Amino acid sequence: MKQIYILLIALLMGLSANAEESGTCGPDLKWHLTDNGVLTISGNGEMYDYSYYYNNSAPWGRYDIKRIIIGDGVTTIGRDAFAGCSALTSVTIPNSVTTIGYEAFSGCSTLTSVTIPNSVTKIAVRTFYNCSALTSVTIGNSVTTIGGSAFEDCRALTSVTIPNSVTTIGEDAFDRCSSLTSVTIPNSVTKISRNAFSYCSALTSVTIPNSVTEIGGSAFAGCSSLTYVTIGNSVTTIGYGAFSGCYALTSVTIGNSVTTIGGRAFFYCYALTSVTIPNSVTTIGGSAFYHCRSLTSVTIPNSVTEIGDSAFYNCSSLTSVTIPNSVTTIGGSTFEYCSSLTSVTIPNSVTIIGEAAFRNCSSLTSVTIPNSVTGIGGGAFYDCRSLTSVTIPNSVTTIGEATFAGCRALTSVTIPNSVTKIGDYAFYNCSSLTSVTIPNSVTTIGGSAFDNCSALTSVTIGNSVTTIGWYAFSECTNLQKVNIGNSVEIIGTSAFENCTSITQISSEAVIPPICYPYVFDGINKSKCKLIVPKNSLDAYKQAYQWKDFLLIEGSTTGITNTVYNKAGLADVYTIDGTKRLSKASTDEINALPKGVYIVNGKKIIIK
């Protein structure tokens, strides 16, 4: 009865204290497991491949294996052969082994050291994945490839020497080896793959040899103790996020062969104070130096043609930057939140200034926009609160949404005749702006375009404007005189609301513009003078909201303070203010009967 009881206990616990197991693990290989957890593989030739995750585990997989001895005749270690052997502390791999299979030792969480012999030519994918107690590894001189995730999550690994035979370090090869303090990359390596050393948070320095031509995406991302890096002269590409999150990185030397600095290459490198970009670089990727808040200066070489979106976003210590003549586009948010930047010169090569390109550059006092620029993106200079003046060149056709919003020190702005649209919030809260002239080229003034421009005293709206947007001039509390051009058809909700100082409004439109609610709320309509075309006097006295003004006067022509543009189309009035032609060409005007006419506020005589 006692013997039966012992047998039952052995069956329930697996391998008993006195039991031994054995079997085959290859065409000519045998395995034997002793009662103290020592597994011996003997024979000659290849080991079978197994599948740890697909119900084809190695026959010894259900036992607690503490040590493995592989005989001299074994040539391969099969796939998943020892995966999940969580009690394994040591293994001996003989010189006869040439190949170690996929995930062969993955999850061996108590394995502390391993020597890979000179006979092995390749360390396969995930071979030692999550060997969390592995402190040291010796890689033989014949290994040419370290496979993807080969040592990923080996969190106790402190150092590794990669032999001169290795040419490729695979993706995630040493990812999250958080105790790795040093690594030597030999001259034989040509490629450091994506995430190869990412989140090696104890790594302090690295030298990338001249043999390497490509640093893969996120190769050293999250190496938060890395202070210095030298990139060899053969590297042509620094991949996306290659050094992102290297918080301690203070300086970097980029070799003369680099042509591309990838997006987020130095993303969140807080401590980076200086960087020299060589003349070989043509592209600085999006967010390349994003949030490098210790960077004080940067010189962009003449080879660069493209600066990506957010390339220097929140480089809050950056005081100066030189943009070369080779650059054609300044991307969206490129210098956003560069709060120490005081001045910038944009070269004649630039055609586009992207959205929010200089947003929140709160120390920027002046900017010169060259004639090459055709588009200024929305929010490009948003909240540049020290900017006092800006000249917009004749090449610009659109002032985008919130382009100069929050530029509280801006006292004057010249809007050229090329501009056809002023976007929503374009000059919102420009509280020092005293006057503005909107040229005849503009057809639309966007919503809140000049909202809360509290120092604005006068505004002239050109004759091509058809729509004045909602809240366009709301809260312009010092605005005294407004001249509305003859083409205005619609005035949006609250367009002049709370403009409490307005004493005179001149409207040149023969037909009273349609007013949405609250257009003139807050204006003293019993004291504010409204001047309209003489023949439209009755129409204004009956029109919604216009009729609320008590002092409505008819002018001789209904046209004031405008300039005749012979090259454009113009409305023509007779001397008593009656419209004769709408948007007439010069030839049409010259074909009129003899007499005196009013064209864009000027008397002309047709003989």
Side-chain angles (χ1 to χ4, degrees):
M1 189 68 180
K2 184 177 180 181
Q3 290 176 338
I4 294 172
Y5 177 75
I6 293 172
L7 180 60
L8 286 171
I9 293 294
L11 289 172
L12 289 171
M13 296 182 63
L15 183 64
S16 73
N18 299 312
E20 294 191 4
E21 291 286 337
S22 62
T24 60
C25 57
D28 296 302
L29 297 182
K30 293 181 179 180
W31 65 276
H32 181 261
L33 181 62
T34 66
D35 59 359
N36 59 355
V38 177
L39 177 66
T40 301
I41 311 292
S42 60
N44 295 289
E46 297 180 353
M47 186 186 296
Y48 291 136
D49 285 330
Y50 299 100
S51 180
Y52 181 69
Y53 298 104
Y54 295 99
N55 299 319
N56 184 30
S57 296
W60 50 77
R62 64 185 182 276
Y63 304 120
D64 286 337
I65 298 171
K66 298 177 181 178
R67 181 183 175 197
I68 298 171
I69 300 171
I70 300 172
D72 287 338
V74 178
T75 58
T76 68
I77 297 174
R79 170 177 174 153
D80 281 325
F82 307 107
C85 291
S86 56
L88 182 65
T89 57
S90 68
V91 60
T92 301
I93 303 172
N95 284 321
S96 57
V97 172
T98 59
T99 302
I100 301 174
Y102 177 90
E103 290 192 327
F105 294 93
S106 67
C108 294
S109 54
T110 57
L111 185 65
T112 57
S113 65
V114 65
T115 298
I116 299 169
N118 290 330
S119 54
V120 174
T121 58
K122 181 179 179 180
I123 301 174
V125 172
R126 294 168 67 96
T127 300
F128 296 94
Y129 173 80
N130 198 26
C131 291
S132 53
L134 191 65
T135 57
S136 66
V137 59
T138 301
I139 301 173
N141 289 325
S142 297
V143 172
T144 59
T145 302
I146 299 174
S149 298
F151 296 94
E152 182 178 353
D153 218 16
C154 292
R155 287 168 283 178
L157 191 64
T158 56
S159 65
V160 63
T161 299
I162 301 171
N164 286 321
S165 53
V166 173
T167 58
T168 302
I169 301 173
E171 294 183 1
D172 303 285
F174 296 92
D175 180 32
R176 293 197 301 275
C177 291
S178 53
S179 296
L180 191 64
T181 57
S182 66
V183 62
T184 300
I185 301 172
N187 286 319
S188 54
V189 173
T190 57
K191 181 179 180 180
I192 301 172
S193 299
R194 183 175 64 87
N195 293 318
F197 296 93
S198 58
Y199 295 98
C200 292
S201 53
L203 192 63
T204 57
S205 66
V206 65
T207 297
I208 298 167
N210 288 327
S211 56
V212 174
T213 58
E214 181 179 349
I215 301 172
S218 299
F220 295 91
C223 292
S224 53
S225 297
L226 190 65
T227 58
Y228 179 75
V229 64
T230 299
I231 299 171
N233 286 324
S234 296
V235 173
T236 58
T237 302
I238 300 173
Y240 182 92
F243 296 92
S244 66
C246 293
Y247 305 135
L249 189 65
T250 56
S251 64
V252 60
T253 301
I254 301 174
N256 289 324
S257 296
V258 172
T259 59
T260 301
I261 299 174
R264 295 193 173 202
F266 297 94
F267 185 84
Y268 273 95
C269 290
Y270 292 141
L272 191 63
T273 56
S274 65
V275 61
T276 300
I277 301 173
N279 287 321
S280 54
V281 173
T282 59
T283 302
I284 299 174
S287 299
F289 295 93
Y290 185 103
H291 215 70
C292 292
R293 58 191 184 198
S294 297
L295 192 64
T296 56
S297 66
V298 63
T299 299
I300 301 169
N302 286 320
S303 54
V304 173
T305 58
E306 181 181 349
I307 302 173
D309 293 350
S310 302
F312 295 93
Y313 178 94
N314 202 24
C315 291
S316 54
S317 297
L318 192 65
T319 57
S320 65
V321 62
T322 300
I323 302 171
N325 286 320
S326 52
V327 173
T328 57
T329 300
I330 298 173
S333 298
T334 298
F335 297 97
E336 184 174 357
Y337 284 99
C338 290
S339 54
S340 297
L341 193 64
T342 56
S343 65
V344 63
T345 299
I346 300 169
N348 287 321
S349 55
V350 172
T351 58
I352 300 293
I353 299 173
E355 292 186 2
F358 296 92
R359 176 175 173 153
N360 286 102
C361 290
S362 53
S363 297
L364 191 64
T365 56
S366 65
V367 62
T368 301
I369 303 172
N371 287 322
S372 55
V373 173
T374 58
I376 302 174
F381 296 93
Y382 181 94
D383 211 22
C384 291
R385 61 190 68 177
S386 299
L387 191 64
T388 56
S389 65
V390 63
T391 299
I392 302 171
N394 286 319
S395 52
V396 173
T397 58
T398 300
I399 299 174
E401 183 175 321
T403 299
F404 296 96
C407 293
R408 301 170 198 171
L410 191 65
T411 56
S412 65
V413 63
T414 300
I415 301 172
N417 285 319
S418 55
V419 172
T420 59
K421 181 180 179 180
I422 299 173
D424 296 345
Y425 301 98
F427 295 92
Y428 173 80
N429 201 25
C430 290
S431 53
S432 297
L433 192 64
T434 56
S435 66
V436 64
T437 298
I438 298 167
N440 287 326
S441 55
V442 173
T443 59
T444 302
I445 300 172
S448 288
F450 296 90
D451 188 357
N452 208 35
C453 291
S454 54
L456 196 63
T457 57
S458 66
V459 63
T460 298
I461 299 170
N463 282 326
S464 295
V465 173
T466 59
T467 302
I468 299 173
W470 36 263
Y471 293 94
F473 297 92
S474 174
E475 304 293 340
C476 292
T477 52
N478 280 304
L479 190 61
Q480 297 170 19
K481 291 186 178 182
V482 177
N483 297 317
I484 299 173
N486 57 36
S487 298
V488 173
E489 298 171 356
I490 295 173
I491 302 177
T493 300
S494 300
F496 294 94
E497 185 177 13
N498 287 333
C499 294
T500 52
S501 297
I502 288 182
T503 58
Q504 179 177 303
I505 299 173
S506 298
S507 175
E508 301 170 10
V510 174
I511 299 173
I514 296 170
C515 291
Y516 282 77
Y518 317 118
V519 167
F520 301 111
D521 270 28
I523 296 174
N524 189 337
K525 299 177 187 66
S526 63
K527 294 184 178 181
C528 178
K529 184 184 293 185
L530 175 61
I531 302 172
V532 300
K534 183 178 180 181
N535 287 358
S536 302
L537 194 58
D538 290 339
Y540 276 87
K541 287 182 177 181
Q542 297 176 45
Y544 173 62
Q545 293 195 69
W546 295 105
K547 65 182 180 181
D548 297 336
F549 288 88
L550 301 184
L551 303 176
I552 306 179
E553 298 179 4
S555 68
T556 303
T557 63
I559 305 170
T560 58
N561 296 328
T562 54
V563 178
Y564 178 39
N565 180 5
K566 292 184 179 179
L569 303 178
D571 294 334
V572 180
Y573 293 81
T574 58
I575 195 68
D576 64 355
T578 302
K579 184 183 282 188
R580 182 63 183 264
L581 295 174
S582 294
K583 299 189 184 311
S585 66
T586 302
D587 290 340
E588 289 173 319
I589 294 171
N590 289 333
L592 286 168
K594 293 179 180 180
V596 179
Y597 299 90
I598 305 298
V599 180
N600 286 348
K602 296 288 186 180
K603 289 183 181 180
I604 65 168
I605 300 173
I606 304 296
K607 297 183 180 179

